[in-house]
Amino acid sequence: MDITIFGTGYVGLVTGTGFAEMGNHVTCVDVDAAKVRMLQAGEIPIYEVGLQELVEENVHAGRLTFTTDAAAAVQTACACFICVGTPMAENGEADLRYVEAVARAIGQHLRAYTVVVTKSTVPVGTAEKVRGWIQESLDQRGLDIPFAVGSNPEFLKEGSALEDFMKPDRVVIGTDDPRAEGILRDIYSPFIRNGLRFYSMDIRSAEMTKYAANCMLATKISFINEIASICEEVGADVRQVRQGVGADSRIGLQFLHPGLGYGGSCFPKDVRALIHVAEAHGCNPAILKAVDKVNRVQKTLLMRKLQQWCELKELPLAGLIVAMWGIAFKPNTDDVREAPSLELIQALLAAGARVQAHDPKAMVAGRQALNDPAGVSWHEDQYDACAGADILFLVTEWRPFRRPDFKRLAENLRHRCIFDGRNQYDDQRAAEYGLQVFPIGVSRSPTAPTAPTTEVGA
C-alpha cells in the first residue's frame, strides 16, 4: 500500500519506518528541508533504539522515502497519517497549528478517496476540525472529492518506540466510515497476525482513549511519589511498599517507580491538555490537577534533599560541585523535554553550585536546552564527571549507572554522598565503601531497614 506520513519526529519516523518494514511504500513528508536531506542519506535526527538501522534498510530497499513535496505524496496515498507536533500553549491547551497546516495541504492536493488519520495526540473533536479544514481547501478548489477522517492514537514509549510499534499490545482506530475502517484494518493486518488486539470505536472515543491512557500512567507515577513522601515521614520504606502494592494483579508494578517525576513530550503536555479540555467543558479535573502539581514539585526533590544535607553539615551550597548522572528524561533516549535534570541544574546554578554532567546520549540536547550555561561542564565518561565533585546526583537510570564502581566513586567524591533519584542503589553495599546513599521514600529512622528488598524481574 502507498502510505504518506506527515511529520518525521518520534511518532512519524517510527510509524513510517514500521509500516515500510511490513512491505508498504511509505513517503514521509516534512517542511524541514535539512532534516529531509539527512533522512534521505539514511541518518536520523533522534536517538531511538534500533531505528537508525531500520531506516537505513528500508531506504536502501526503496520502501521508505522522504520529501518536502506534499503534493506528490498526497496524490499517490491511500492513507495519510498526521504525525506532527501538538505543543502546549501557555494555558495548557494543545496547539493545533501544525495539524491544521497539514490538513489544509492535504485538501489542496487530494485527487481521489483517501483516509486522513490523526496519529498525533490531539484533543477530543480534532478529527472534526481536520474534516472541516480539508473540506474548506476542496471548496476553494471547487472540487467534490470524497475522503474520510479517523483517529489512530499512538501508544509508543520513547526508548522502546520501535518495539512498541512492531509489537503493540493494541491498536485503536476511530472512524465513522466503514471503507476507512477496512483500509486501516488492512494496513495493520500484518500486526494483527501477531495476536494484536484491534479496537474500532467512534472517533471521539479514540481521541479520548489516548489522553486517558497517558493520564492514567502519569497518575500512577505521581501516586507512588506521594506515597514515597509519606513513607519518609512515617518511617516506612517505599521500595518495600511498592512491592507489596504492586503484587496485587489489579495494580501491578509498572509505573510504580518512585523517582523525580515524569517528563518528556507526552505526559506533562497531555495531563495539562486534558485539564484544559475538561475545564473548557465545565468539569473540575481535581485528580489530574493533583497529578500535575505533585509532579512539578517532585522534579526538584533532590535539590531540597541537598539543601537539608547542607544545613545538617553546616556547609554552604554555594561553591559545591555536584556530579550529575543523567540528562535525558528517561533512559534510551536523547529527549530532554521536561526533564528533571534541567530544573535541577538551573536550581543548582542559581544557588551558586557547579555541575559536572554526564549522559550517554543526551548531552548535546541538554546543552542546547540550557543554552550551554557557565558553571556546567560536560563529560564523556561517567567517572570523569565525578572527579573532584563533592556529591553525586543520580537523575536518569541508564543501565551503565545501575551497578557503578562504588570504590571509584568513594575515591572521587569528596563527601562520599549519592543522592539517588531513582532508587537504584543498595545502601548497605555502598556503605561498605564508605558511601552514604540518600534514596527516595526511605525513612532514616534507626528502626528502618536500609537495604532494598530484592525484586525479581524489575
Side-chain angles (χ1 to χ4, degrees):
M1 299 184 104
D2 287 328
I3 299 171
T4 292
I5 306 290
F6 281 90
T8 57
Y10 276 98
V11 176
L13 192 53
V14 170
T15 300
T17 304
F19 283 151
E21 179 67 8
M22 287 299 185
N24 299 288
H25 180 266
V26 179
T27 302
C28 292
V29 182
D30 203 291
V31 296
D32 188 335
K35 182 191 284 189
V36 167
R37 286 193 297 270
M38 176 189 298
L39 291 163
Q40 287 171 336
E43 302 174 12
I44 65 173
I46 58 175
Y47 175 75
E48 186 64 40
V49 177
L51 186 58
Q52 175 76 53
E53 296 78 10
L54 216 57
V55 168
E56 291 176 356
E57 290 175 13
N58 283 278
V59 167
H60 180 74
R63 294 188 297 267
L64 181 62
T65 58
F66 300 94
T67 184
T68 58
D69 187 354
V74 169
Q75 290 166 8
T76 60
C78 69
C80 293
F81 288 80
I82 301 176
C83 303
V84 294
T86 53
M88 181 174 56
E90 290 185 7
N91 64 355
E93 183 179 9
D95 185 343
L96 298 178
R97 75 179 79 174
Y98 304 118
V99 175
E100 178 180 356
V102 171
R104 293 189 182 280
I106 291 172
Q108 290 166 6
H109 304 298
L110 207 61
R111 283 188 177 178
Y113 179 86
T114 305
V115 184
V116 181
V117 185
T118 51
K119 203 163 184 66
S120 304
T121 302
V122 294
V124 176
T126 298
E128 294 172 14
K129 293 181 179 180
V130 168
R131 192 196 309 273
W133 292 325
I134 294 173
Q135 190 60 56
E136 285 178 12
S137 293
L138 289 173
D139 291 344
Q140 290 171 3
R141 295 168 63 193
L143 297 175
D144 183 17
I145 300 173
F147 68 94
V149 297
S151 173
N152 173 216
E154 52 86 13
F155 300 100
L156 308 177
K157 301 185 295 293
E158 288 188 40
S160 61
L162 189 59
E163 182 179 3
D164 289 344
F165 188 86
M166 302 305 293
K167 300 178 181 178
D169 52 13
R170 84 278 205 195
V171 164
V172 172
I173 295 294
T175 182
D176 54 10
D177 184 311
R179 184 179 175 185
E181 180 181 340
I183 290 173
L184 293 173
R185 281 186 179 272
D186 194 16
I187 290 173
Y188 279 105
S189 61
F191 305 94
I192 294 173
R193 292 192 183 98
N194 293 332
L196 173 70
R197 290 174 289 178
F198 188 99
Y199 298 98
S200 180
M201 58 186 71
D202 67 86
I203 295 175
R204 283 178 171 256
S205 295
E207 291 171 333
M208 185 64 184
T209 295
K210 170 61 177 181
Y211 275 117
N214 275 2
C215 289
M216 181 68 246
L217 297 175
T219 298
K220 291 187 74 172
I221 294 170
S222 283
F223 173 80
I224 196 62
N225 282 332
E226 186 151 289
I227 293 298
S229 297
I230 298 172
C231 284
E232 290 192 13
E233 300 302 322
V234 302
D237 185 336
V238 74
R239 298 171 296 188
Q240 299 181 54
V241 171
R242 71 172 286 270
Q243 290 180 6
V245 171
D248 189 324
S249 61
R250 298 169 300 174
I251 301 172
L253 285 167
Q254 286 190 313
F255 289 85
L256 283 184
H257 296 280
L260 300 178
Y262 54 79
S265 63
C266 294
F267 288 5
K269 174 175 67 71
D270 293 351
V271 169
R272 293 168 201 162
L274 190 53
I275 290 172
H276 182 273
V277 168
E279 291 180 334
H281 287 78
C283 301
N284 178 28
I287 292 176
L288 297 181
K289 290 178 181 178
V291 167
D292 184 48
K293 181 178 179 180
V294 168
N295 193 65
R296 290 175 189 266
V297 172
Q298 198 72 15
K299 287 185 176 182
T300 54
L301 176 61
L302 291 191
M303 187 65 185
R304 295 192 296 279
K305 286 181 174 288
L306 177 59
Q307 290 169 332
Q308 293 169 359
W309 178 82
C310 286
E311 290 174 3
L312 288 173
K313 294 288 185 179
E314 298 184 347
L315 291 172
L317 210 165
L320 209 66
I321 301 176
V322 178
M324 182 174 293
W325 283 0
I327 302 299
F329 85 94
K330 64 182 289 189
N332 298 323
T333 181
D334 61 353
D335 195 346
V336 299
R337 286 173 289 184
E338 299 273 350
S341 63
L342 303 185
E343 294 195 29
L344 286 169
I345 288 173
Q346 290 169 337
L348 287 166
L349 295 179
R354 291 160 51 198
V355 178
Q356 298 179 175
H358 168 76
D359 187 283
K361 296 293 179 182
M363 289 199 292
V364 172
R367 293 178 79 155
Q368 291 175 345
L370 292 165
N371 294 318
D372 203 6
V376 181
S377 58
W378 306 87
H379 301 263
E380 294 296 329
D381 180 85
Q382 66 192 78
Y383 295 102
D384 286 348
C386 297
D390 292 292
I391 58 98
L392 169 64
F393 273 11
L394 175 68
V395 179
T396 313
E397 65 278 28
W398 285 90
R399 286 180 179 175
F401 303 161
R402 294 182 183 181
R403 296 284 291 181
D405 185 338
F406 284 132
K407 181 175 182 295
R408 196 169 175 184
L409 286 176
E411 292 170 351
N412 284 343
L413 299 173
R414 290 196 186 100
H415 292 286
R416 296 187 171 185
C417 288
I418 302 174
F419 291 79
D420 184 358
R422 300 296 177 180
N423 284 6
Q424 294 294 301
Y425 300 142
D426 184 322
D427 308 27
Q428 292 181 345
R429 184 168 177 270
E432 294 173 3
Y433 297 88
L435 290 163
Q436 188 173 17
V437 176
F438 296 96
I440 290 175
V442 180
S443 169
R444 282 299 172 192
S445 69
T447 57
T450 57
T453 300
T454 301
E455 178 185 321
V456 178

